[in-house]
Amino acid sequence: QVQLVESGGGLVQPGGSLRLSCAASGRTSSSYVMGWFRQSPGKDREFVAAIRGSSSTYYPDSVKGRFTISRENAKNTVYLQMNSLKSEDTAVYYCAARQSCSAIECYSPRYDYWGQGTQVTVSS
């Protein structure tokens, strides 16, 4: 079993930046694919980013070029650096993990473990 705890959410102005962290504990493995999803009122859970290994990353067009996912295996931590934030980025952001996924499968919210989420609000 893996436990995931997100942190780093908060209120930022449009155009600002924020870095989210996800600390993993339990039976963790560096081979797990780590992902970030978000959900806002009235919308389905949306894929944001994923990282497989240390260099394979995946992003949807909505955040590509603005968000960056990374990991520090020694600390069992994954990060989501968010730049040039927009009001439409406002959502609860969830960290997730799964044992494996293809490039296409990583976009699906069919992950094995989930954190409780952290609120990100982009507003002036």
Side-chain angles (χ1 to χ4, degrees):
Q1 188 175 1
V2 176
Q3 294 80 45
L4 305 174
V5 180
E6 304 95 336
S7 63
L11 174 65
V12 297
Q13 295 184 339
S17 298
L18 202 63
R19 189 179 77 161
L20 305 183
S21 298
C22 175
S25 61
R27 301 185 66 182
T28 59
S29 173
S30 61
S31 65
Y32 281 148
V33 176
M34 303 297 298
W36 287 94
F37 292 78
R38 66 187 182 188
Q39 188 166 25
S40 58
K43 294 184 177 181
D44 294 331
R45 189 160 296 187
E46 176 188 13
F47 172 76
V48 175
I51 182 167
R52 182 170 60 187
S54 61
S55 60
S56 298
T57 58
Y58 310 92
Y59 306 94
D61 291 340
S62 59
V63 307
K64 190 174 298 182
R66 299 189 298 119
F67 291 10
T68 303
I69 187 171
S70 62
R71 68 196 305 169
E72 291 189 62
N73 291 331
K75 296 183 177 180
N76 292 319
T77 302
V78 63
Y79 305 95
L80 182 67
Q81 179 66 47
M82 304 184 292
N83 299 324
S84 302
L85 284 164
K86 307 173 182 179
S87 60
E88 49 263 47
D89 294 318
T90 296
V92 176
Y93 283 71
Y94 298 90
C95 178
R98 64 183 294 171
Q99 293 186 359
S100 65
C101 58
S102 67
I104 297 176
E105 291 174 333
C106 293
Y107 286 69
S108 174
R110 298 173 66 179
Y111 281 59
D112 300 306
Y113 306 101
W114 294 86
Q116 295 300 307
T118 184
Q119 177 70 48
V120 172
T121 302
V122 184
S123 177
S124 60

